Amino acid sequence: MPKISIIVSCYNEEKAIPLFYQEVEKNIKDFENTEFEYIFVNDGSSDNTLSVIKDLKSKDNKVKYVSFSRNFGKEAAIYAGLEHATGDYITLMDADLQDPPHLLKDMYKAITEEGYDAVGTRRVSRKGEPVIRSFFARMFYKIINKMSKIEMVDGARDYVLMTRQVANAILSLKEYNRYTKGLFSFVGFKVKWLEYENVQRVAGETKWSFWKLFIYALEGITAFSTKPLIFSSFIGLLFCLIAFLLILLIIIKTLLLGDPTSGWPSLVCIIFMVSGVQLFSIGIIGQYLSKTYLEVKHRPIYIVKEENMD
Ligand code: UDP
Ligand code: MG
């Protein structure tokens, strides 16, 4: 019998988990001849998430869990879930029901009947989201798709159903800075995209502030493109060229008109601008260097405090 693993990353989701479980149970009843397992990954929650999960486990032995020693982030939780999953098909879901479980059926069909290796989902609307956030999200996808060879789908969720083969491919990417959406595109395979309207979370609140999302976006860019480095070299060259032309201009001007002592305000402006560009470029290099630094340390992606996979 084929088995589907449902990986649920949870960070302070005590209110959402029971609702999530109920809703998913309702939806997986329609699957015939399929086995299920839940893998709840407790990402260092500070509320009662773990005891809520243990409670579910005592009632339903499809439920398994891994609990981290602290908050390692959703990307680490997904990685841990993939490592622990034993299913032939694996899906990643948020605990807040923003990933509609009723899509599972179509996703499963696309893989088993239409020959796809993975099915991804994307939100076609961003209803209920702050306007500024939507704007920046759109900009981010435009920029990253220009800068990276890997295509990132606008509105793509982490909610995917994949075969064991795709999951193993993602697991084989052992990098420390994990940008899951990018990794999913990177491994390739035949992917079908399902679209749906944005859904609000059922309970609790989002863990992503604007600032956190901004940092995450930068992470996505540095993880999947080295174009910013080329950008600083380009600006550097451009400035050399401008400087060369200006030197010529000044020499000619001095020869023709003599040398009146003027021009210090423009000099100040130039110094400001050039040093700004230099700092900006060093910043970009620093970003890559810091990522490299973290990668070469080979720190574990997550640390488990307790788990129950029986
Ligand atoms: N999450 C996690 N670790 C974190 C932050 C979030 O495991 O450090 C989980 C969270 O519990 C939820 C999912 O990731 O199941 C998505 O988080 P959230 O709903 O806050 O993000 P949003 O949907 O607002 O983008
Ligand atoms: Mg959410």
Side-chain angles (χ1 to χ4, degrees):
M1 219 165 33
K3 183 170 174 187
I4 302 179
S5 303
I6 302 175
I7 297 173
V8 197
S9 48
C10 311
Y11 178 49
N12 295 344
E13 301 283 8
E14 57 178 6
K15 290 203 203 81
I17 289 172
L19 302 168
F20 168 84
Y21 173 76
Q22 244 174 32
E23 189 62 31
V24 175
E25 281 294 297
K26 239 188 270 164
N27 279 280
I28 63 177
K29 271 206 192 89
D30 307 339
F31 282 75
E32 281 153 18
N33 292 324
T34 345
E35 219 183 305
F36 278 89
E37 73 174 354
Y38 291 90
I39 297 178
F40 286 96
V41 183
N42 173 31
D43 184 11
S45 303
S46 52
D47 65 357
N48 289 320
T49 297
L50 185 58
S51 44
V52 172
I53 296 171
K54 282 182 177 167
D55 214 41
L56 281 183
K57 172 142 191 71
S58 64
K59 290 183 207 132
D60 181 351
N61 57 18
K62 294 199 297 296
V63 173
K64 299 161 184 187
Y65 66 83
V66 180
S67 183
F68 288 175
S69 59
R70 64 166 170 86
N71 181 251
F72 279 87
K74 188 183 177 188
E75 313 296 315
I78 289 174
Y79 186 79
L82 287 174
E83 274 197 324
H84 285 79
T86 59
D88 307 289
Y89 303 97
I90 295 159
T91 181
L92 314 173
M93 289 174 99
D94 286 1
D96 58 5
L97 284 176
Q98 279 190 301
D99 300 329
H102 69 82
L103 290 178
L104 265 182
K105 195 116 215 224
D106 290 339
M107 292 163 90
Y108 187 59
K109 219 187 258 164
I111 290 183
T112 52
E113 289 168 24
E114 296 165 28
Y116 287 94
D117 298 303
V119 185
T121 55
R122 59 182 290 255
R123 299 185 288 180
V124 282
S125 70
R126 290 177 170 270
K127 250 196 323 230
E129 206 185 56
V131 186
I132 298 192
R133 182 175 292 198
S134 304
F135 172 76
F136 275 99
R138 293 243 154 73
M139 290 271 295
F140 166 70
Y141 283 108
K142 275 212 184 99
I143 292 172
I144 196 161
N145 280 321
K146 282 236 164 66
M147 296 213 293
S148 171
K149 283 195 200 104
I150 307 282
E151 204 210 331
M152 310 275 173
V153 179
D154 186 359
R157 301 276 306 171
D158 289 334
Y159 182 27
V160 295
L161 179 71
M162 58 190 133
T163 59
R164 167 59 44 193
Q165 193 186 19
V166 178
N168 286 344
I170 292 178
L171 279 173
S172 74
L173 307 172
K174 303 223 177 286
E175 59 210 74
Y176 181 77
N177 297 287
R178 303 187 72 79
Y179 182 73
T180 304
K181 286 190 212 16
L183 298 179
F184 186 64
S185 304
F186 177 88
V187 296
F189 294 98
K190 201 171 159 210
V191 181
K192 180 179 184 173
W193 289 95
L194 295 182
E195 301 186 339
Y196 69 96
E197 294 279 324
N198 193 22
V199 193
Q200 304 273 340
R201 64 157 46 236
V202 278
E205 53 202 53
T206 178
K207 276 86 202 171
W208 294 87
S209 62
F210 185 80
W211 181 240
K212 248 177 130 181
L213 277 174
F214 185 74
I215 303 270
Y216 185 61
L218 286 186
E219 220 140 78
I221 292 174
T222 46
F224 284 92
S225 167
T226 47
K227 291 257 166 69
L229 289 170
I230 298 174
F231 175 75
S232 32
S233 318
F234 177 75
I235 296 255
L237 267 179
L238 189 74
F239 270 58
C240 284
L241 193 73
I242 293 175
F244 183 70
L245 292 177
L246 282 177
I247 289 169
L248 277 183
L249 195 81
I250 288 169
I251 290 176
I252 293 168
K253 202 179 134 212
T254 319
L255 286 177
L256 292 180
L257 304 173
D259 186 18
T261 332
S262 68
W264 72 266
S266 51
L267 201 63
V268 169
C269 294
I270 291 167
I271 289 174
F272 259 97
M273 178 162 169
V274 173
S275 51
V277 170
Q278 281 176 343
L279 282 179
F280 181 68
S281 304
I282 292 174
I284 292 177
I285 297 169
Q287 278 296 316
Y288 285 95
L289 190 66
S290 69
K291 300 286 168 211
T292 316
Y293 177 60
L294 288 172
E295 293 292 347
V296 295
K297 284 188 184 198
H298 294 298
R299 283 184 180 160
I301 295 166
Y302 62 88
I303 294 168
V304 173
K305 185 174 173 207
E306 63 173 291
E307 63 176 53
N308 191 341
M309 293 297 296
D310 306 328

